[in-house]
Each structure stands twice: as C-alpha cells, then as structure tokens.
Amino acid sequence: SFVDICFTSTTIPKLLVNIQTQRKVITYKSCIMQMYFFILFIGLDNFLLTVMAYDRFMAICHPLHYTVIMNPRLCALLVLVSWIISALHSLLESLMVLQLSFCTALEIPHFFCELNQMIQLACSDTFLNDLVMYCATVLLVGAPLAGVLYSYSKILSSIRGISSAQGKHKAFSTCASHLSVVSLFYCTGLGVYLSSDAPQSSHSSAAASVMYTVVTPMLNPMIY
C-alpha cells in the first residue's frame, strides 16, 4: 500500500498541474527527478508482487511449513533486498540519462516521463543506455515475472490435486486478489511500452500511462 501511494505520487501531481495550466509538458529537471522515483517504485511493485507470489506458493503448496519458512525475519529480508535492488537500478538508469546530451531544450508533451522516450530524444550515442535498459528489463522484469508464473503453475497443480470443490475454491480464493493485481500490473505495463514505441499515438500513450500510473495503483487496495 505504501509503495502504491508513492507510485501514484510521482505522476498525479504533474497530471493535475497539466490539467490546471493546460500546458502539457514536463521540463528536463522534473523529468529526471520523476523518472528516478518512478523507476524505483515500479521496480518495488514488481519485486513485491513476486515475493507475494512466493508467499502464496508456500501457503498452498507447503501449508504445514508455511509459518516456519515465511517467518518475520525472511519477510523483512525479502522486502529489504527489493528496496536495495530497486534503488540501485533507479540510480543507475538516472545517472546514465544525465550523461546524455540533447540538441534542443527538452520538453516532453506528457505528464509522465518515460525512460525509453528520454533515450530516443537524445542526440548523443545511446548504445550503452539501450544495452543497460534491455538487460535490466530481462533481469529485473523478466526474472520476477518468470518467478510469478512458476509459482502459479505449482499452485494450479496443487489445487488440481485437491479432491473437494470447497477445498479448491478456498485455495484459489487466497490467490484471487494477488492474481488480479498481477494481471493489471503487467497488462497495463505492456500497453504503455507498446504505445510508447509508436510516435504518432500520443493520445493512446497518455491513456495507457494513466491506466498504468494512476488507475492500477489506486485499484490495488480495493482489490485486496
């Protein structure tokens, strides 16, 4: 809940300013600051959803060992590691963007400053930035997503082994809220990055960004 509040706080204030002033741009300094916190909290959301998938996996597939394995010390360690990795990744991406040079005064017609968009607007060589961004996507998004999918494959296999319909329903209901949030998070995220690759679709990109940065985090507490 705290991460979702911080996540929406990186974009909603700028969105409200744009609506009030009717000036739909974001300056370079604001962009760097927003990008740092956005990458930080989106990374945290990603890791925490993976940790929660592991928690559901232990609760359903190994219920007798759940309280021993998922003890407060392990939970605190998993959250701490998620914070550290997200903070370091966000710092790395922001520092690498600061090394880029831009031919003109940089103003992005958007309330949401996206890393890929910044790299595309640079005049200097962006090979290293692209390399780091794609490697980070594979390692820090692909690996957690694979962990979530693996956990749910084991959970579904375990649920199928339950004989009674009531038992199956009870086991699945413990995962329903988390599965809903995971679906919203990854589907809207995919929509943002697909729309950002198309330069003509600024309206659809903004709509996808609103879904991703505003609607989804605000729905999460209601879902849970």
Side-chain angles (χ1 to χ4, degrees), residues 168-221:
K168 288 182 179 180
H169 180 266
K170 184 178 180 181
F172 182 76
S173 65
T174 64
C175 302
S177 59
H178 178 255
L179 196 56
S180 301
V181 173
V182 167
S183 301
L184 274 172
F185 179 82
Y186 285 109
C187 290
T188 53
L190 183 63
V192 167
Y193 287 100
L194 286 177
S195 61
S196 67
D197 287 337
Q200 301 99 324
S201 59
S202 60
H203 180 75
S204 62
S205 177
S209 298
V210 169
M211 276 295 297
Y212 191 50
T213 63
V214 180
V215 178
T216 299
M218 291 176 70
L219 280 176
N220 289 353

Side-chain angles (χ1 to χ4, degrees), residues 94-151:
S94 301
L95 289 175
M96 291 195 68
V97 169
L98 284 171
Q99 304 303 313
L100 297 174
S101 58
F102 299 89
C103 300
T104 57
L106 185 65
E107 285 193 335
I108 297 173
H110 212 326
F111 72 94
F112 164 47
C113 189
E114 201 264 320
L115 176 62
N116 190 38
Q117 197 174 29
M118 287 285 288
I119 294 173
Q120 288 175 358
L121 292 172
C123 292
S124 55
D125 182 37
T126 61
F127 172 76
L128 193 58
N129 295 76
D130 289 327
L131 181 64
V132 170
M133 183 176 64
Y134 291 131
C135 289
T137 301
V138 172
L139 293 174
L140 304 182
V141 178
L145 178 58
V148 171
L149 294 175
Y150 176 78
S151 295

Side-chain angles (χ1 to χ4, degrees), residues 2 7 17 24 28 41 91-92 103 107 140 166 204 206 215:
F2 172 73
F7 185 21
V17 168
K24 300 177 181 179
Y28 178 73
F41 293 119
L91 182 63
L92 174 63
C103 300
E107 285 193 335
L140 304 182
Q166 185 178 1
S204 62
V215 178

